[in-house]
Amino acid sequence: MAGVLQRFEQRLEGAVTGAFARAFRSAVQPVEIAAALQREIDNSAHILSRERMLVPNDFTVELSAPDYERLTPFGTTLSDELGKLVKEHVAEQRYTLAGPLTISFVQAPELGTGRFRVRSRTQASVTPVAGQRMTETAIRSSDVLLEVNGMRHPIEAPGVVIGRGSEAQLRIDDPGISRRHAQIKIHDTPDGSSVTVTDLGSTNGVIVNGHRVQTGKVGDGAEIRLGNTTVVLRVWPPREKA
């Protein structure tokens, strides 16, 4: 761990100007942020399998207003170097990132100068169904939507296979999700769309509203847990569509 921090400091010294050093002289120090990221990763790690520990991939560094203003001109350089540090630490500890790595900085007015917080979450990247229309019109006209990481995916009959592999139709780059993890099937009925979810022999199973299922009917608002990602189902009868 100390070696990763030392390499971070050496790279940062060679990458930034004296203005950067002066900006942090009386405020939060980059190495403090780096150390806090390492602690957040270690504290958030959980067992994915016997040989893998999953860690967050989306980090937010909350800074006081004065520190944020000092940091803004150098944010890209610092985030790039912090990204390298995170990847080195993950490699050394043999962790698995939950998805593509992102590090962002935001203001937290309640923090005093020199104080900061690091928050993290797992955020897998999602590849929409090939040929799927993602326009607002398509979303409003769909009876069935899947919400994944804040994005709404309209789903049409007969449904989709969700997984991590290229053979899945809705791809979620989550290491806890199998290549073909689950199938969402849509059944047209006189009263609208009926939806079922089926586990396709996944390693970590399908959890619906806290209960593991093999096959089951799911309704509007159901939370379907696949690996480390929660998919929320939205179903509307035709008469309620906007």
Side-chain angles (χ1 to χ4, degrees):
M1 183 180 298
V4 172
L5 284 174
Q6 186 176 25
R7 289 195 295 272
F8 166 75
E9 287 189 293
Q10 291 172 345
R11 284 198 307 265
L12 198 59
E13 287 174 0
V16 302
T17 65
F20 183 91
R22 290 193 296 273
F24 281 92
R25 185 167 296 160
S26 59
V28 61
Q29 299 297 310
V31 70
E32 294 176 321
I33 298 175
L37 281 169
Q38 286 187 333
R39 289 193 300 271
E40 180 68 15
I41 291 168
D42 293 336
N43 293 337
S44 302
H46 68 273
I47 296 174
L48 186 64
S49 66
R50 181 175 297 180
E51 298 178 352
R52 292 197 296 173
M53 295 281 286
L54 187 75
V55 294
N57 63 304
D58 189 338
F59 299 89
T60 301
V61 181
E62 299 180 351
L63 299 160
S64 69
D67 287 331
Y68 183 82
E69 291 177 5
R70 293 187 184 98
L71 172 66
T72 299
F74 314 101
T76 301
T77 298
L78 182 56
S79 61
D80 287 347
E81 292 303 326
L82 288 170
K84 293 176 185 177
L85 172 136
V86 167
K87 290 177 180 179
E88 286 183 4
H89 184 60
V90 166
E92 287 192 0
Q93 300 301 315
R94 298 184 179 179
Y95 293 145
T96 298
L97 283 169
L101 176 65
T102 60
I103 301 174
S104 58
F105 303 91
V106 299
Q107 289 190 57
E110 72 276 12
L111 293 177
T113 302
R115 302 294 299 275
F116 68 95
R117 285 191 296 257
V118 173
R119 300 189 186 277
S120 65
R121 60 177 179 168
T122 59
Q123 185 87 336
S125 63
V126 182
T127 303
V129 176
Q132 182 184 65
R133 295 174 299 158
M134 299 292 289
T135 64
E136 282 300 317
T137 300
I139 290 171
R140 287 196 301 269
S141 64
S142 178
D143 288 338
V144 180
L145 297 175
L146 296 179
E147 296 182 355
V148 190
N149 294 342
M151 290 187 63
R152 296 177 295 173
H153 300 263
I155 303 300
E156 299 178 354
V160 295
V161 170
I162 303 175
R164 185 167 48 86
S166 58
E167 60 269 41
Q169 294 160 298
L170 181 63
R171 295 176 60 188
I172 303 177
D173 186 21
D174 177 335
I177 291 179
S178 298
R179 296 184 64 82
R180 283 172 49 89
H181 196 109
Q183 183 177 32
I184 302 292
K185 293 190 73 173
I186 301 175
H187 314 271
D188 291 328
T189 71
D191 297 324
S193 297
S194 174
V195 182
T196 57
V197 59
T198 299
D199 186 344
L200 298 178
S202 67
T203 300
N204 294 316
V206 174
I207 310 297
V208 178
N209 297 329
H211 302 281
R212 184 162 184 159
V213 301
Q214 178 57 46
T215 298
K217 185 176 179 179
V218 285
D220 180 46
E223 294 188 351
I224 305 169
R225 184 79 173 179
L226 308 174
N228 306 283
T229 300
T230 298
V231 177
V232 180
L233 177 70
R234 298 298 182 192
V235 183
W236 288 280
R239 64 181 179 276
E240 294 185 8
K241 290 190 293 181

